[in-house]
Amino acid sequence: MASDDTASPQRLLIVEDDAAFARTLARSFERRGYEVRVAASLDQLTTVLASGYAPTRAVVDLKLQGEASGLACVRALVAHDDRMLIVVLTGFASIATAVEAIKLGACHYLAKPSNTDDIEAAFGRSEGTTEVALTSRPSSIKTLEWERIHQVLAETGFNISETARRLGMHRRTLARKLDKQQVK
């Protein structure tokens, strides 16, 4: 049965382990007429979906507490309903994780800080566009290093120790690089 989006509010699931940010985002979307639920982990996401809540849209943080990856949440959401619009948010933006998020079924990928307007606009742009400006500037060594770090982070499920081992660097060195580059 097809649902009429104008008759009922959009149902939004926010998967975010930063409780303060999740609360702020939830309140902002509720003021816009969304019915919102929040989950802080893959386990909580599974519980929310099993309770019968059927989100039409989701906002997923890429790096959740501990070893969890938002990419696993994207996979679970798509398995639940492949028509759901999913936007991935991250403070650890990289080409590798963006590609994986889109391949898994996310409609968009945004770097933090992003606000409600950015996220709503991303939901509205669920198809690609050829109008994106291309840059002629080559990547710097720092950018290439950053991309490689994030590629390996994604491959290891955001396991810092294993990523450092695969990159041949000390765990504390990697942690410092991540802290220095983190977008808050």
Side-chain angles (χ1 to χ4, degrees):
M1 173 171 22
S3 66
D4 181 11
D5 290 337
T6 59
S8 63
Q10 291 288 342
R11 293 174 307 281
L12 176 68
L13 180 58
I14 299 171
V15 183
E16 170 65 65
D17 59 353
D18 179 339
F21 180 66
R23 237 184 349 266
T24 301
L25 203 55
R27 279 194 301 252
S28 182
F29 274 103
E30 285 169 345
R31 282 193 293 270
R32 292 176 186 223
Y34 286 75
E35 179 185 314
V36 180
R37 298 277 193 296
V38 177
S41 66
L42 180 58
D43 289 341
Q44 286 183 14
L45 164 73
T46 304
T47 301
V48 169
L49 295 177
S51 74
Y53 185 68
T56 56
R57 297 171 183 218
V59 176
V60 179
D61 185 20
L62 182 66
K63 186 166 184 344
L64 300 171
Q65 198 67 20
E67 302 298 315
S69 166
L71 295 176
C73 295
V74 171
R75 177 179 285 146
L77 288 164
V78 169
H80 181 75
D81 181 356
D82 63 357
R83 296 168 297 158
M84 186 183 316
L85 296 177
I86 303 167
V87 171
V88 173
L89 289 181
T90 185
F92 297 92
S94 75
I95 292 172
T97 55
V99 168
E100 292 307 314
I102 300 304
K103 284 165 101 177
L104 287 168
C107 70
H108 219 285
Y109 180 98
L110 297 173
K112 288 180 179 177
S114 293
N115 60 31
T116 309
D117 290 334
D118 299 332
I119 296 166
E120 265 195 330
F123 284 137
R125 292 188 322 258
S126 60
E127 293 184 9
T129 178
T130 59
E131 302 303 314
V132 175
L134 300 176
T135 178
S136 60
R137 191 182 80 193
S139 295
S140 69
I141 296 292
K142 284 184 178 184
T143 301
L144 293 174
E145 176 189 42
W146 190 238
E147 291 298 330
R148 178 66 181 141
I149 288 170
H150 282 285
Q151 177 185 9
V152 177
L153 271 171
E155 290 170 1
T156 63
F158 294 89
N159 181 318
I160 303 288
S161 297
E162 179 61 17
T163 299
R165 187 189 68 73
R166 289 186 187 183
L167 292 172
M169 70 173 59
H170 196 281
R171 184 188 185 289
R172 280 181 278 173
T173 302
L174 177 59
R176 277 194 301 274
K177 286 179 180 284
L178 292 172
D179 285 342
K180 189 185 289 184
Q181 291 293 326
Q182 183 177 4
V183 178
K184 297 192 179 198

